[in-house]
Amino acid sequence: MEKLLLGVSGLFLFSGRAHADWTVNLTKGVTEISREIYDLHMVIFWICVVIGFIVFGVMLWSVVYHRKSRGAKAHNFHESLVVEIAWTVVPFIILIAMAVPATATLIKMYDNTEADLDIQVTGYQWKWRYQYLAEDIDFFSSLSTPREQINNTQEKSTDYLLEVDNPLVIPVGKKVRFLLTANDVIHSWWVPEFAVKKDAIPGFINEAWVIVDKPGVYRGQCAELCGKDHGFMPIVVEVKSQEDYEQWLAEFKKADALKSQAAEKSWNLADLMATGEQVYSKACLACHQANGEGVPSIFPALKNSAVALGDEALHIDVVLNGVSGTAMQAFKDQLSAVELAAVITYERNAWGNKTGDIVTPAQIAELKK
Amino acid sequence: MSRIQNEPRWIDVILSVLAAFFGVQTKRNHERDSMTDSYWRYIVIGLVLLLAFIAVIYLLVKLTLAYL
Ligand SMILES: [Cu+2]
């Protein structure tokens, strides 16, 4: 028993040291709503604690005080109207008392009107897509943790599995409304510090909103089991001051323009292969695997595949438009012309697929129009 | 105990249905109710009070949304 106690307290000590900011409680968050939810949670928690003490206190006291050795005799009565009414009315009153502030917060949470900025959030297997509805901004955000860390051949970083290539960027102090939906299966967009956890469901649009009052980087995860890489589609939100946000907007648009210019320059096989490998590990590896052999009967092999070795046009079509009704998504909008050309070229020349074919960015850019 | 041949009084039925909604009934009333032969008054009052309950909830929600 002592050993067990030592072990348990050791565990607590250890976890306390290993995660300095590790707490068991709900986060206070960085929005007015998240703080209200935190306060509600604490109030209700303490109500439960008090009820627990009273109920178990009375029970324990009765058990001890009326114990048999003291000569206690049981009363043999059946129902008692007074007691039954009391234990129905008292919880009723407590519940109503808790519902009043909770409802006030809920009503605020569901007030989706008068947003300064609308962003459509779409869940994909296994990444997020962010579309700024008023701006010409549309990008995918996928896990950027290196495979080596996942496979334990490299030390894990502090933001392990909570880092992405393109974070969502929003301005501080502005009401940002999220319109959530999904492309394939149900996902859930969850950022604890915003107190937002909302299902993203194919064919439906759910709404949520935030006004974040502190610039910073906030991280979250998909919170609805959505398949193989459910744990590998984190959310990163960068909250910036209005000036920084506008600068980001401008830079994003400039980079977008550069991307389409890149499609016009000519590419050789080596460059395409190098880019293709990067794109492949970011966008395709989760399913088709690093060795291109896929997962039998779930994700087909690309090594020696009839599609990857066969007709170029068919191969391009599969990658750009996907195969409807399967996990093979349309990558047309997810990747740039250069990335698409590179990854297709890569597939046609990697793992012993030596076709020597080059699919050019210009070719893809034409198809993307 | 002898069966009561005549119908139960409406007021008793209303009180019994309300007690059922609340979840607590006295043993005396429960026995009185099970002695009657006719159940249709309980069904009618049950449905009417159910509709009234729904209306009250509906109004409460409307009032809450309007004033909170
Ligand atoms: Cu998901």
Side-chain angles (χ1 to χ4, degrees):
Chain A
M1 188 63 197
E2 245 167 53
K3 259 197 192 143
L4 184 75
L5 278 179
L6 271 179
V8 169
S9 53
L11 198 68
F12 276 109
L13 276 178
F14 172 74
S15 48
R17 222 174 328 119
H19 314 266
D21 56 352
W22 187 84
T23 55
V24 276
N25 207 355
L26 200 68
T27 168
K28 276 201 176 80
V30 289
T31 71
E32 190 193 325
I33 296 283
S34 75
R35 279 189 297 271
E36 272 187 33
I37 292 175
Y38 176 84
D39 290 341
L40 272 176
H41 165 262
M42 289 319 289
V43 166
I44 289 169
F45 169 75
W46 286 116
I47 292 176
C48 292
V49 169
V50 170
I51 293 173
F53 267 105
I54 293 176
V55 170
F56 284 97
V58 169
M59 217 168 88
L60 272 174
W61 178 82
S62 316
V63 169
V64 173
Y65 190 77
H66 300 292
R67 62 187 181 276
K68 199 174 172 188
S69 62
R70 289 191 49 171
K73 280 262 174 330
H75 278 291
N76 272 315
F77 68 93
H78 200 253
E79 73 274 343
S80 157
L81 199 61
V82 177
V83 172
E84 283 180 33
I85 288 177
W87 76 41
T88 313
V89 169
V90 171
F92 182 77
I93 292 171
I94 296 174
L95 280 176
I96 296 291
M98 294 195 299
V100 171
T103 308
T105 302
L106 271 176
I107 290 173
K108 266 192 228 167
M109 275 171 72
Y110 282 94
D111 176 16
N112 292 315
T113 55
E114 287 164 35
D116 299 310
L117 178 62
D118 285 319
I119 300 178
Q120 184 179 326
V121 178
T122 311
Y124 279 69
Q125 278 177 322
W126 294 283
K127 66 201 103 182
W128 295 95
R129 179 184 192 174
Y130 299 113
Q131 287 160 287
Y132 292 56
L133 297 186
E135 309 276 347
D136 189 19
I137 288 191
D138 177 356
F139 63 91
F140 283 79
S141 177
S142 35
L143 181 73
S144 63
T145 299
R147 282 281 141 185
E148 291 76 23
Q149 290 187 15
I150 296 170
N151 297 336
N152 291 318
T153 59
Q154 226 180 53
E155 182 117 13
K156 299 187 193 307
S157 59
T158 34
D159 295 324
Y160 178 69
L161 296 189
L162 290 174
E163 46 194 351
V164 298
D165 49 0
N166 305 307
L168 175 65
V169 179
I170 60 172
V172 76
K174 290 275 158 66
K175 184 163 179 175
V176 181
R177 175 167 51 183
F178 301 114
L179 305 156
L180 298 127
T181 186
N183 179 59
D184 32 47
V185 300
I186 303 180
H187 301 267
S188 181
W189 198 81
W190 178 37
V191 179
E193 277 153 314
F194 294 174
V196 170
K197 182 197 268 175
K198 201 107 211 178
D199 275 7
I201 307 171
F204 285 82
I205 304 259
N206 276 338
E207 288 178 83
W209 62 270
V210 289
I211 300 175
V212 184
D213 35 42
K214 238 179 32 203
V217 179
Y218 305 103
R219 295 169 201 274
Q221 280 160 300
C222 178
E224 181 69 56
L225 206 54
C226 59
K228 179 175 159 289
D229 276 5
H230 163 63
F232 300 80
M233 50 180 293
I235 295 152
V236 180
V237 186
E238 276 181 18
V239 179
K240 292 185 189 286
S241 68
Q242 187 64 30
E243 304 91 81
D244 289 353
Y245 171 72
E246 272 158 22
Q247 194 185 341
W248 173 82
L249 272 185
E251 275 167 16
F252 188 95
K253 287 177 180 165
K254 215 159 77 197
D256 231 24
L258 281 178
K259 264 190 212 160
S260 27
Q261 278 169 27
E264 284 156 25
K265 92 172 219 240
S266 70
W267 289 72
N268 64 25
L269 183 62
D271 289 345
L272 283 173
M273 285 297 282
T275 310
E277 184 171 3
Q278 284 168 16
V279 177
Y280 184 84
S281 64
K282 192 180 85 178
C284 325
L285 182 144
C287 296
H288 294 292
Q289 306 300 308
N291 56 12
E293 288 171 17
V295 177
S297 78
I298 309 175
F299 306 122
L302 300 175
K303 180 179 176 174
N304 296 327
S305 119
V307 175
L309 294 175
D311 181 31
E312 228 175 70
L314 180 66
H315 186 178
I316 293 173
D317 180 60
V318 169
V319 179
L320 262 61
N321 302 314
V323 181
S324 75
T326 76
M328 182 61 201
Q329 307 155 9
F331 283 93
K332 196 171 168 176
D333 300 325
Q334 301 194 31
L335 300 173
S336 71
V338 171
E339 288 170 320
L340 284 164
V343 78
I344 295 169
T345 303
Y346 178 74
E347 285 175 329
R348 298 184 77 78
N349 295 285
W351 324 293
N353 285 359
K354 289 212 171 357
T355 61
D357 293 343
I358 291 184
V359 175
T360 66
Q363 212 176 326
I364 303 292
E366 198 56 38
L367 289 170
K368 265 173 83 106
K369 276 180 190 152
Chain B
M1 266 184 268
S2 65
R3 291 239 153 209
I4 305 165
Q5 287 302 325
N6 45 8
E7 300 278 332
R9 292 192 305 157
W10 282 107
I11 181 71
D12 288 340
V13 175
I14 292 175
L15 288 175
S16 284
V17 170
L18 285 175
F21 276 20
F22 186 69
V24 179
Q25 172 68 297
T26 62
K27 194 170 186 159
R28 193 166 48 82
N29 286 351
H30 178 65
E31 276 169 358
R32 182 204 60 209
D33 290 344
S34 35
M35 282 304 116
T36 59
D37 281 327
S38 164
Y39 48 76
W40 65 271
R41 286 191 183 195
Y42 293 94
I43 293 178
V44 171
I45 295 297
L47 287 174
V48 168
L49 288 184
L50 175 66
L51 289 177
F53 178 69
I54 293 171
V56 166
I57 297 290
Y58 181 81
L59 272 176
L60 271 179
V61 171
K62 285 276 159 203
L63 283 173
T64 310
L65 288 179
Y67 292 107
L68 216 68

